[in-house]
mmCIF file of all heavy atoms in Angstrom:
data_model
loop_
_atom_site.group_PDB
_atom_site.id
_atom_site.type_symbol
_atom_site.label_atom_id
_atom_site.label_comp_id
_atom_site.label_asym_id
_atom_site.label_seq_id
_atom_site.Cartn_x
_atom_site.Cartn_y
_atom_site.Cartn_z
ATOM 1 N N VAL H 408 54.533 29.466 26.458
ATOM 2 C CA VAL H 408 53.978 28.499 27.244
ATOM 3 C C VAL H 408 55.091 27.703 27.988
ATOM 4 O O VAL H 408 56.034 27.455 27.278
ATOM 5 C CB VAL H 408 53.017 27.560 26.510
ATOM 6 C CG1 VAL H 408 52.602 26.278 27.403
ATOM 7 C CG2 VAL H 408 51.931 28.308 25.942
ATOM 8 N N GLY H 409 54.797 27.340 29.282
ATOM 9 C CA GLY H 409 55.816 26.479 30.019
ATOM 10 C C GLY H 409 56.050 25.107 29.401
ATOM 11 O O GLY H 409 54.977 24.649 28.894
ATOM 12 N N PHE H 410 57.239 24.631 29.383
ATOM 13 C CA PHE H 410 57.564 23.249 28.614
ATOM 14 C C PHE H 410 58.246 22.407 29.516
ATOM 15 O O PHE H 410 59.357 22.594 29.861
ATOM 16 C CB PHE H 410 58.337 23.693 27.412
ATOM 17 C CG PHE H 410 58.487 22.656 26.422
ATOM 18 C CD1 PHE H 410 57.457 22.198 25.574
ATOM 19 C CD2 PHE H 410 59.764 22.094 26.251
ATOM 20 C CE1 PHE H 410 57.715 21.272 24.618
ATOM 21 C CE2 PHE H 410 59.930 21.067 25.316
ATOM 22 C CZ PHE H 410 58.860 20.642 24.462
ATOM 23 N N ASP H 411 57.705 21.319 29.985
ATOM 24 C CA ASP H 411 58.256 20.430 30.970
ATOM 25 C C ASP H 411 58.467 19.165 30.186
ATOM 26 O O ASP H 411 57.559 18.314 30.184
ATOM 27 C CB ASP H 411 57.406 20.203 32.213
ATOM 28 C CG ASP H 411 58.123 19.364 33.281
ATOM 29 O OD1 ASP H 411 59.034 18.561 32.920
ATOM 30 O OD2 ASP H 411 57.844 19.488 34.362
ATOM 31 N N MET H 412 59.675 18.872 29.706
ATOM 32 C CA MET H 412 59.956 17.648 28.915
ATOM 33 C C MET H 412 59.875 16.488 29.745
ATOM 34 O O MET H 412 59.451 15.485 29.237
ATOM 35 C CB MET H 412 61.385 17.823 28.262
ATOM 36 C CG MET H 412 61.676 16.777 27.306
ATOM 37 S SD MET H 412 60.655 16.636 25.832
ATOM 38 C CE MET H 412 61.392 17.875 24.781
ATOM 39 N N ASP H 413 60.307 16.601 30.976
ATOM 40 C CA ASP H 413 60.403 15.372 31.851
ATOM 41 C C ASP H 413 58.993 14.749 32.078
ATOM 42 O O ASP H 413 58.871 13.541 32.085
ATOM 43 C CB ASP H 413 60.995 15.703 33.131
ATOM 44 C CG ASP H 413 62.570 15.911 33.032
ATOM 45 O OD1 ASP H 413 63.129 15.364 31.995
ATOM 46 O OD2 ASP H 413 63.183 16.723 33.715
ATOM 47 N N LYS H 414 58.046 15.709 32.352
ATOM 48 C CA LYS H 414 56.756 15.267 32.567
ATOM 49 C C LYS H 414 55.739 15.365 31.569
ATOM 50 O O LYS H 414 54.540 15.210 31.641
ATOM 51 C CB LYS H 414 56.191 16.035 33.891
ATOM 52 C CG LYS H 414 56.941 15.633 35.169
ATOM 53 C CD LYS H 414 56.439 16.618 36.305
ATOM 54 C CE LYS H 414 57.365 16.200 37.536
ATOM 55 N NZ LYS H 414 56.722 17.031 38.689
ATOM 56 N N MET H 415 56.211 15.654 30.297
ATOM 57 C CA MET H 415 55.448 15.667 29.105
ATOM 58 C C MET H 415 54.237 16.618 29.279
ATOM 59 O O MET H 415 53.092 16.354 29.080
ATOM 60 C CB MET H 415 54.963 14.293 28.756
ATOM 61 C CG MET H 415 56.053 13.266 28.339
ATOM 62 S SD MET H 415 56.800 13.744 26.731
ATOM 63 C CE MET H 415 58.545 13.592 27.085
ATOM 64 N N ARG H 416 54.588 17.802 29.747
ATOM 65 C CA ARG H 416 53.443 18.741 30.029
ATOM 66 C C ARG H 416 53.755 20.206 29.593
ATOM 67 O O ARG H 416 54.839 20.710 29.604
ATOM 68 C CB ARG H 416 53.501 18.785 31.581
ATOM 69 C CG ARG H 416 52.175 19.622 32.086
ATOM 70 C CD ARG H 416 52.220 19.513 33.627
ATOM 71 N NE ARG H 416 51.756 18.232 34.078
ATOM 72 C CZ ARG H 416 51.856 17.862 35.361
ATOM 73 N NH1 ARG H 416 52.379 18.576 36.261
ATOM 74 N NH2 ARG H 416 51.502 16.574 35.705
ATOM 75 N N LEU H 417 52.752 20.829 29.177
ATOM 76 C CA LEU H 417 52.605 22.321 28.932
ATOM 77 C C LEU H 417 52.028 23.031 30.183
ATOM 78 O O LEU H 417 51.136 22.325 30.855
ATOM 79 C CB LEU H 417 51.953 22.625 27.595
ATOM 80 C CG LEU H 417 52.507 22.072 26.346
ATOM 81 C CD1 LEU H 417 51.538 22.332 25.283
ATOM 82 C CD2 LEU H 417 53.844 22.432 26.078
ATOM 83 N N TYR H 418 52.339 24.264 30.499
ATOM 84 C CA TYR H 418 51.667 24.916 31.505
ATOM 85 C C TYR H 418 51.723 26.454 31.290
ATOM 86 O O TYR H 418 52.598 27.034 30.537
ATOM 87 C CB TYR H 418 52.236 24.611 32.823
ATOM 88 C CG TYR H 418 53.817 24.812 32.903
ATOM 89 C CD1 TYR H 418 54.221 26.107 33.396
ATOM 90 C CD2 TYR H 418 54.752 23.887 32.615
ATOM 91 C CE1 TYR H 418 55.607 26.235 33.535
ATOM 92 C CE2 TYR H 418 56.097 24.019 32.768
ATOM 93 C CZ TYR H 418 56.531 25.324 33.188
ATOM 94 O OH TYR H 418 57.915 25.597 33.201
ATOM 95 N N ASP H 419 50.760 27.126 31.930
ATOM 96 C CA ASP H 419 50.854 28.645 31.850
ATOM 97 C C ASP H 419 51.997 29.276 32.547
ATOM 98 O O ASP H 419 52.369 28.660 33.526
ATOM 99 C CB ASP H 419 49.496 29.119 32.458
ATOM 100 C CG ASP H 419 48.197 28.889 31.561
ATOM 101 O OD1 ASP H 419 48.393 29.134 30.395
ATOM 102 O OD2 ASP H 419 47.202 28.679 32.248
ATOM 103 N N VAL H 420 52.546 30.274 32.030
ATOM 104 C CA VAL H 420 53.599 30.985 32.702
ATOM 105 C C VAL H 420 53.047 32.328 33.096
ATOM 106 O O VAL H 420 51.987 32.681 32.762
ATOM 107 C CB VAL H 420 54.689 31.189 31.654
ATOM 108 C CG1 VAL H 420 55.393 29.834 31.289
ATOM 109 C CG2 VAL H 420 54.328 31.988 30.484
ATOM 110 N N GLU H 421 53.860 33.047 33.892
ATOM 111 C CA GLU H 421 53.398 34.314 34.420
ATOM 112 C C GLU H 421 53.154 35.269 33.290
ATOM 113 O O GLU H 421 53.973 35.196 32.244
ATOM 114 C CB GLU H 421 54.406 34.863 35.368
ATOM 115 C CG GLU H 421 54.503 34.047 36.661
ATOM 116 C CD GLU H 421 55.595 34.676 37.548
ATOM 117 O OE1 GLU H 421 56.178 35.658 37.303
ATOM 118 O OE2 GLU H 421 55.674 34.150 38.697
ATOM 119 N N GLN H 422 52.420 36.185 33.327
ATOM 120 C CA GLN H 422 52.130 37.228 32.274
ATOM 121 C C GLN H 422 53.378 37.971 31.921
ATOM 122 O O GLN H 422 53.424 38.439 30.794
ATOM 123 C CB GLN H 422 51.167 38.253 32.897
ATOM 124 C CG GLN H 422 50.713 39.348 31.795
ATOM 125 C CD GLN H 422 50.209 38.757 30.451
ATOM 126 O OE1 GLN H 422 49.467 37.677 30.435
ATOM 127 N NE2 GLN H 422 50.505 39.416 29.308
ATOM 128 N N SER H 423 54.328 38.307 32.779
ATOM 129 C CA SER H 423 55.510 38.910 32.511
ATOM 130 C C SER H 423 56.251 38.213 31.418
ATOM 131 O O SER H 423 57.036 38.921 30.707
ATOM 132 C CB SER H 423 56.370 39.130 33.758
ATOM 133 O OG SER H 423 56.801 37.796 34.287
ATOM 134 N N ALA H 424 56.089 36.838 31.240
ATOM 135 C CA ALA H 424 56.906 36.178 30.158
ATOM 136 C C ALA H 424 56.305 36.577 28.851
ATOM 137 O O ALA H 424 57.027 36.469 27.849
ATOM 138 C CB ALA H 424 56.722 34.771 30.342
ATOM 139 N N GLN H 425 55.113 37.164 28.722
ATOM 140 C CA GLN H 425 54.441 37.485 27.468
ATOM 141 C C GLN H 425 54.879 39.046 27.060
ATOM 142 O O GLN H 425 54.652 39.270 25.895
ATOM 143 C CB GLN H 425 53.013 37.389 27.488
ATOM 144 C CG GLN H 425 52.605 36.179 28.229
ATOM 145 C CD GLN H 425 52.663 34.944 27.399
ATOM 146 O OE1 GLN H 425 53.031 34.972 26.194
ATOM 147 N NE2 GLN H 425 52.450 33.678 27.868
ATOM 148 N N ASP H 426 55.385 39.775 28.061
ATOM 149 C CA ASP H 426 55.402 41.101 27.797
ATOM 150 C C ASP H 426 56.455 41.598 26.759
ATOM 151 O O ASP H 426 56.374 42.610 26.155
ATOM 152 C CB ASP H 426 55.848 41.938 29.146
ATOM 153 C CG ASP H 426 54.794 41.781 30.131
ATOM 154 O OD1 ASP H 426 53.666 41.618 29.783
ATOM 155 O OD2 ASP H 426 55.008 41.962 31.481
ATOM 156 N N ASP H 427 57.511 40.816 26.568
ATOM 157 C CA ASP H 427 58.584 41.150 25.531
ATOM 158 C C ASP H 427 58.005 40.849 24.060
ATOM 159 O O ASP H 427 58.699 41.249 23.077
ATOM 160 C CB ASP H 427 59.791 40.433 25.774
ATOM 161 C CG ASP H 427 60.428 40.901 27.138
ATOM 162 O OD1 ASP H 427 60.258 41.976 27.350
ATOM 163 O OD2 ASP H 427 61.285 40.174 27.694
ATOM 164 N N LEU H 428 56.930 40.157 23.974
ATOM 165 C CA LEU H 428 56.264 39.790 22.673
ATOM 166 C C LEU H 428 55.668 41.027 21.997
ATOM 167 O O LEU H 428 55.003 41.634 22.746
ATOM 168 C CB LEU H 428 55.474 38.698 22.598
ATOM 169 C CG LEU H 428 56.090 37.310 23.185
ATOM 170 C CD1 LEU H 428 55.044 36.218 23.262
ATOM 171 C CD2 LEU H 428 57.184 36.900 22.314
ATOM 172 N N ILE H 429 55.936 41.298 20.749
ATOM 173 C CA ILE H 429 55.346 42.470 20.103
ATOM 174 C C ILE H 429 53.809 42.374 20.061
ATOM 175 O O ILE H 429 53.087 43.337 20.351
ATOM 176 C CB ILE H 429 55.721 42.494 18.604
ATOM 177 C CG1 ILE H 429 57.340 42.858 18.668
ATOM 178 C CG2 ILE H 429 55.196 43.704 17.848
ATOM 179 C CD1 ILE H 429 57.940 42.778 17.299
ATOM 180 N N ASP H 430 53.346 41.211 19.760
ATOM 181 C CA ASP H 430 51.846 41.144 19.479
ATOM 182 C C ASP H 430 51.150 40.203 20.509
ATOM 183 O O ASP H 430 50.556 39.128 20.200
ATOM 184 C CB ASP H 430 51.525 40.586 18.108
ATOM 185 C CG ASP H 430 52.540 39.481 17.679
ATOM 186 O OD1 ASP H 430 53.095 38.966 18.562
ATOM 187 O OD2 ASP H 430 52.592 39.300 16.523
ATOM 188 N N ASP H 431 51.271 40.528 21.780
ATOM 189 C CA ASP H 431 50.779 39.590 22.921
ATOM 190 C C ASP H 431 49.269 39.785 23.242
ATOM 191 O O ASP H 431 48.758 39.179 24.051
ATOM 192 C CB ASP H 431 51.614 39.679 24.191
ATOM 193 C CG ASP H 431 51.512 41.260 24.693
ATOM 194 O OD1 ASP H 431 51.184 42.170 23.933
ATOM 195 O OD2 ASP H 431 51.715 41.257 25.962
ATOM 196 N N GLY H 432 48.603 40.772 22.572
ATOM 197 C CA GLY H 432 47.344 41.046 22.886
ATOM 198 C C GLY H 432 46.661 42.007 21.861
ATOM 199 O O GLY H 432 47.156 42.351 20.820
ATOM 200 N N ASP H 433 45.475 42.542 22.185
ATOM 201 C CA ASP H 433 44.746 43.384 21.297
ATOM 202 C C ASP H 433 45.546 44.838 21.226
ATOM 203 O O ASP H 433 46.095 45.290 22.231
ATOM 204 C CB ASP H 433 43.405 43.771 22.008
ATOM 205 C CG ASP H 433 42.552 42.556 21.930
ATOM 206 O OD1 ASP H 433 42.833 41.574 21.200
ATOM 207 O OD2 ASP H 433 41.584 42.415 22.837
ATOM 208 N N ILE H 434 45.551 45.352 20.147
ATOM 209 C CA ILE H 434 46.100 46.724 20.004
ATOM 210 C C ILE H 434 45.058 47.765 20.473
ATOM 211 O O ILE H 434 43.783 47.651 20.367
ATOM 212 C CB ILE H 434 46.198 47.007 18.426
ATOM 213 C CG1 ILE H 434 47.088 46.062 17.915
ATOM 214 C CG2 ILE H 434 46.726 48.549 18.300
ATOM 215 C CD1 ILE H 434 47.232 46.094 16.321
ATOM 216 N N PRO H 435 45.324 48.692 21.521
ATOM 217 C CA PRO H 435 44.485 49.482 22.162
ATOM 218 C C PRO H 435 43.690 50.371 21.126
ATOM 219 O O PRO H 435 44.275 50.734 20.079
ATOM 220 C CB PRO H 435 45.410 50.455 22.958
ATOM 221 C CG PRO H 435 46.591 49.505 23.156
ATOM 222 C CD PRO H 435 46.811 48.685 21.929
ATOM 223 N N THR H 436 42.450 50.547 21.403
ATOM 224 C CA THR H 436 41.672 51.363 20.487
ATOM 225 C C THR H 436 41.881 52.744 20.164
ATOM 226 O O THR H 436 41.708 53.313 19.106
ATOM 227 C CB THR H 436 40.156 51.165 20.815
ATOM 228 O OG1 THR H 436 39.975 51.716 22.098
ATOM 229 C CG2 THR H 436 39.611 49.796 20.733
ATOM 230 N N ASP H 437 42.588 53.291 21.309
ATOM 231 C CA ASP H 437 43.029 54.759 21.222
ATOM 232 C C ASP H 437 44.515 54.861 20.711
ATOM 233 O O ASP H 437 45.014 55.848 20.688
ATOM 234 C CB ASP H 437 42.960 55.397 22.544
ATOM 235 C CG ASP H 437 43.633 54.670 23.598
ATOM 236 O OD1 ASP H 437 44.224 53.567 23.336
ATOM 237 O OD2 ASP H 437 43.778 55.290 24.725
ATOM 238 N N TRP H 438 45.087 53.782 20.322
ATOM 239 C CA TRP H 438 46.488 53.925 19.908
ATOM 240 C C TRP H 438 46.559 54.279 18.526
ATOM 241 O O TRP H 438 45.858 53.958 17.591
ATOM 242 C CB TRP H 438 47.161 52.609 19.960
ATOM 243 C CG TRP H 438 48.616 52.485 19.616
ATOM 244 C CD1 TRP H 438 49.719 52.848 20.282
ATOM 245 C CD2 TRP H 438 49.074 52.068 18.343
ATOM 246 N NE1 TRP H 438 50.770 52.683 19.531
ATOM 247 C CE2 TRP H 438 50.572 52.176 18.355
ATOM 248 C CE3 TRP H 438 48.509 51.630 17.109
ATOM 249 C CZ2 TRP H 438 51.330 51.889 17.273
ATOM 250 C CZ3 TRP H 438 49.370 51.280 16.071
ATOM 251 C CH2 TRP H 438 50.756 51.365 16.126
ATOM 252 N N GLU H 439 47.471 55.306 18.120
ATOM 253 C CA GLU H 439 47.648 55.774 16.755
ATOM 254 C C GLU H 439 49.107 55.665 16.283
ATOM 255 O O GLU H 439 50.078 56.096 16.912
ATOM 256 C CB GLU H 439 47.207 57.363 16.725
ATOM 257 C CG GLU H 439 45.796 57.508 17.071
ATOM 258 C CD GLU H 439 45.473 59.145 16.858
ATOM 259 O OE1 GLU H 439 46.398 59.857 16.563
ATOM 260 O OE2 GLU H 439 44.286 59.447 17.246
ATOM 261 N N PRO H 440 49.305 54.901 15.233
ATOM 262 C CA PRO H 440 50.641 54.603 14.672
ATOM 263 C C PRO H 440 51.200 55.910 14.051
ATOM 264 O O PRO H 440 50.558 56.786 13.689
ATOM 265 C CB PRO H 440 50.349 53.674 13.568
ATOM 266 C CG PRO H 440 49.035 53.947 13.140
ATOM 267 C CD PRO H 440 48.204 54.263 14.334
ATOM 268 N N LYS H 441 52.530 56.117 14.232
ATOM 269 C CA LYS H 441 53.217 57.179 13.913
ATOM 270 C C LYS H 441 53.410 57.147 12.349
ATOM 271 O O LYS H 441 53.439 58.128 11.691
ATOM 272 C CB LYS H 441 54.586 57.381 14.497
ATOM 273 C CG LYS H 441 54.538 57.569 16.073
ATOM 274 C CD LYS H 441 55.909 57.687 16.704
ATOM 275 C CE LYS H 441 55.667 57.872 18.146
ATOM 276 N NZ LYS H 441 57.048 57.930 18.755
ATOM 277 N N ASP H 442 53.596 55.844 11.795
ATOM 278 C CA ASP H 442 53.694 55.741 10.454
ATOM 279 C C ASP H 442 53.303 54.310 10.111
ATOM 280 O O ASP H 442 52.956 53.562 10.905
ATOM 281 C CB ASP H 442 55.124 56.125 9.977
ATOM 282 C CG ASP H 442 56.135 55.192 10.656
ATOM 283 O OD1 ASP H 442 55.852 54.015 10.989
ATOM 284 O OD2 ASP H 442 57.268 55.728 10.997
ATOM 285 N N ARG H 443 53.343 54.015 8.712
ATOM 286 C CA ARG H 443 52.842 52.740 8.220
ATOM 287 C C ARG H 443 53.751 51.612 8.870
ATOM 288 O O ARG H 443 53.283 50.424 9.052
ATOM 289 C CB ARG H 443 52.874 52.701 6.699
ATOM 290 C CG ARG H 443 51.789 53.462 6.142
ATOM 291 C CD ARG H 443 51.880 53.470 4.668
ATOM 292 N NE ARG H 443 50.837 54.163 4.007
ATOM 293 C CZ ARG H 443 49.641 53.691 3.652
ATOM 294 N NH1 ARG H 443 49.371 52.364 3.962
ATOM 295 N NH2 ARG H 443 48.721 54.332 3.178
ATOM 296 N N LYS H 444 55.069 51.854 8.926
ATOM 297 C CA LYS H 444 56.033 50.850 9.527
ATOM 298 C C LYS H 444 55.586 50.344 10.895
ATOM 299 O O LYS H 444 55.643 49.164 11.205
ATOM 300 C CB LYS H 444 57.432 51.246 9.358
ATOM 301 C CG LYS H 444 57.918 51.451 8.059
ATOM 302 C CD LYS H 444 59.431 51.868 7.977
ATOM 303 C CE LYS H 444 59.961 52.040 6.615
ATOM 304 N NZ LYS H 444 61.416 52.372 6.619
ATOM 305 N N GLU H 445 55.147 51.336 11.560
ATOM 306 C CA GLU H 445 54.805 50.992 13.166
ATOM 307 C C GLU H 445 53.615 50.193 13.021
ATOM 308 O O GLU H 445 53.488 49.227 13.867
ATOM 309 C CB GLU H 445 54.843 52.154 13.818
ATOM 310 C CG GLU H 445 54.624 52.031 15.408
ATOM 311 C CD GLU H 445 54.540 53.356 16.297
ATOM 312 O OE1 GLU H 445 54.853 54.345 15.616
ATOM 313 O OE2 GLU H 445 54.052 53.194 17.360
ATOM 314 N N LEU H 446 52.616 50.550 12.288
ATOM 315 C CA LEU H 446 51.474 49.767 12.279
ATOM 316 C C LEU H 446 51.669 48.398 11.686
ATOM 317 O O LEU H 446 51.204 47.440 12.225
ATOM 318 C CB LEU H 446 50.392 50.463 11.294
ATOM 319 C CG LEU H 446 49.123 49.712 10.976
ATOM 320 C CD1 LEU H 446 48.383 49.698 12.330
ATOM 321 C CD2 LEU H 446 48.212 50.454 9.937
ATOM 322 N N PHE H 447 52.463 48.215 10.654
ATOM 323 C CA PHE H 447 52.763 46.973 10.147
ATOM 324 C C PHE H 447 53.440 46.023 11.160
ATOM 325 O O PHE H 447 53.219 44.800 11.356
ATOM 326 C CB PHE H 447 53.651 46.993 8.869
ATOM 327 C CG PHE H 447 54.066 45.702 8.328
ATOM 328 C CD1 PHE H 447 53.011 44.914 7.548
ATOM 329 C CD2 PHE H 447 55.334 45.088 8.613
ATOM 330 C CE1 PHE H 447 53.429 43.638 7.104
ATOM 331 C CE2 PHE H 447 55.676 43.832 8.123
ATOM 332 C CZ PHE H 447 54.725 43.113 7.358
ATOM 333 N N LYS H 448 54.348 46.657 12.048
ATOM 334 C CA LYS H 448 55.000 45.857 13.061
ATOM 335 C C LYS H 448 54.107 45.573 14.146
ATOM 336 O O LYS H 448 54.245 44.343 14.642
ATOM 337 C CB LYS H 448 56.109 46.948 13.642
ATOM 338 C CG LYS H 448 56.937 46.243 14.815
ATOM 339 C CD LYS H 448 57.998 47.282 15.257
ATOM 340 C CE LYS H 448 58.887 46.576 16.398
ATOM 341 N NZ LYS H 448 59.809 47.446 16.944
#
Side-chain angles (χ1 to χ4, degrees):
V408 171
F410 189 75
D411 189 337
M412 181 68 78
D413 290 333
K414 295 181 181 179
M415 296 290 132
R416 181 180 294 172
L417 302 176
Y418 57 89
D419 285 319
V420 296
E421 294 181 0
Q422 180 59 38
S423 59
Q425 316 288 351
D426 292 342
D427 291 335
L428 299 178
I429 295 173
D430 41 15
D431 62 337
D433 295 333
I434 299 171
T436 55
D437 59 350
W438 179 83
E439 296 183 1
K441 294 179 180 178
D442 53 38
R443 289 179 177 270
K444 289 183 180 180
E445 187 174 344
L446 175 61
F447 179 78
K448 182 179 179 182

